[in-house]
Amino acid sequence: MAIPSGSGTEVLKSKYTSGISTTWTTIGEFNQTNHIYTVLSIIFCNNNADAEEMNFALTDDESNTNEHFLLLGHSIAAKATYIWNDKFVVSGSGTYKYLRCNFNTSANIDVTVSYIEQDWST
């Protein structure tokens, strides 16, 4: 994707996903060409009475055939919240287009992803 030089839009967005468990689940799709996504924060809320071990990664598709891990094997305490507030950028024209996560047991985790979407397709 070329460096944007014309008009476009910039919108603050969020996505909520409830009840994530051991299955890899998409918590963000960043797959539109000529779009730039800046992830601002990811909030994980553990609704279980047990601690959970979590993983999340950027992947090139929704089958996890090519993963780029951002967090691997991180523990989140029982009834606790973990906030990832390191910002990162994903291009809709790039290789990694899906933000996915999973947990080590039959978890019940709610996730909120906040991001800025810049649309340079117009």
Side-chain angles (χ1 to χ4, degrees), residues 84-106:
W84 170 283
N85 59 7
D86 290 330
K87 291 141 192 70
F88 59 95
V89 175
V90 181
S91 169
S93 303
T95 301
Y96 300 104
K97 299 178 183 180
Y98 298 91
L99 183 60
R100 297 174 52 80
C101 70
N102 80 336
F103 300 87
N104 65 329
T105 63
S106 298

Side-chain angles (χ1 to χ4, degrees), residues 9-111:
T9 61
E10 184 173 275
V11 180
L12 183 60
K13 294 186 172 186
S14 61
K15 181 178 180 192
Y16 309 98
T17 308
S18 297
I20 298 174
S21 63
T22 58
T23 304
W24 278 96
T25 302
T26 300
I27 59 173
E29 294 180 26
F30 308 118
N31 57 1
Q32 293 188 357
T33 303
N34 295 321
H35 286 235
I36 299 168
Y37 305 89
T38 303
V39 177
L40 303 174
S41 70
I42 307 170
I43 302 169
F44 299 89
C45 182
N46 182 0
N47 297 310
N48 277 351
D50 298 318
E52 294 293 334
E53 187 175 285
M54 65 178 162
N55 308 299
F56 74 93
L58 287 166
T59 64
D60 60 352
D61 59 25
E62 291 192 280
S63 64
N64 286 42
T65 56
N66 189 12
E67 303 156 330
H68 177 78
F69 283 98
L70 299 172
L71 189 66
L72 184 60
H74 183 78
S75 182
I76 180 171
K79 301 288 185 181
T81 299
Y82 173 75
I83 300 173
W84 170 283
N85 59 7
D86 290 330
K87 291 141 192 70
F88 59 95
V89 175
V90 181
S91 169
S93 303
T95 301
Y96 300 104
K97 299 178 183 180
Y98 298 91
L99 183 60
R100 297 174 52 80
C101 70
N102 80 336
F103 300 87
N104 65 329
T105 63
S106 298
N108 180 14
I109 309 292
D110 295 338
V111 179

